[in-house]
Amino acid sequence: MEGKNRMRFIAGDDERRKDAIDYISKLPGHGIWQIDISKYVKNRSNSQNRLYWQWLEEISDYMGNTSDELHNIFRAKFLGFVEKEVKFRNNEGMVVREIWKELPTTTELSVSEFSEYLLKVEQTVLTAFPDFSFQYPDDYKYAITADKEEKAK
């Protein structure tokens, strides 16, 4: 589904589950609909993202790379590359299929996965540059342990 027909429900209670069921029951009878249901996994937290970009700025000031360059370096080092099929027309008008490798986004990492990612960045930088020191904001502990605290609720 694309555009206005795309709908997402986070069904954490009976009322939201009912909303989802009602929505599905009102879909037009014509056409084919795709309905995907999966367990909800919270993506990285705002405090994690703030901490990450703060650290990238600090490393950037120390090393001279831009924050975006460092972001790409860390994604390549810790997340690898994903393959994506790309189709296009060449100069002769023929459809050509190629597999391109691209860096995955950190946006879709879960809170737990992003905690691990942050710890790898921290460990790598402190190991490579023992005289470097990060600034740790008040919510550092929350950014690193948010998933554990969330599961304890």
Side-chain angles (χ1 to χ4, degrees), residues 89-94:
R89 292 196 182 274
N90 63 15
N91 292 338
E92 291 81 37
M94 296 178 58

Side-chain angles (χ1 to χ4, degrees), residues 31-42:
I32 299 173
W33 296 94
Q34 176 177 319
I35 300 170
D36 300 314
I37 298 176
S38 61
K39 182 163 176 52
Y40 175 73
V41 177
K42 187 175 187 297

Side-chain angles (χ1 to χ4, degrees), residues 97-134:
R97 178 184 157 262
E98 289 185 3
I99 303 295
W100 290 1
K101 291 185 179 185
E102 58 185 35
L103 289 168
T105 180
T106 58
T107 305
E108 295 176 10
L109 294 177
S110 69
V111 171
S112 177
E113 291 167 335
F114 205 78
S115 291
E116 291 175 27
Y117 182 80
L118 284 170
L119 290 170
K120 288 177 183 177
V121 169
E122 180 183 34
Q123 180 181 13
T124 298
V125 172
L126 294 177
T127 300
F129 305 103
D131 57 329
F132 179 83
S133 62
F134 284 107

Side-chain angles (χ1 to χ4, degrees), residues 68-105:
D68 286 333
E69 289 170 339
L70 292 166
H71 178 53
N72 290 336
I73 290 167
F74 291 132
R75 287 189 300 156
K77 181 172 180 64
F78 301 125
L79 302 177
F81 289 84
V82 293
E83 291 186 349
K84 179 178 179 179
E85 182 179 322
V86 179
K87 295 179 184 176
F88 58 93
R89 292 196 182 274
N90 63 15
N91 292 338
E92 291 81 37
M94 296 178 58
V95 175
V96 177
R97 178 184 157 262
E98 289 185 3
I99 303 295
W100 290 1
K101 291 185 179 185
E102 58 185 35
L103 289 168
T105 180

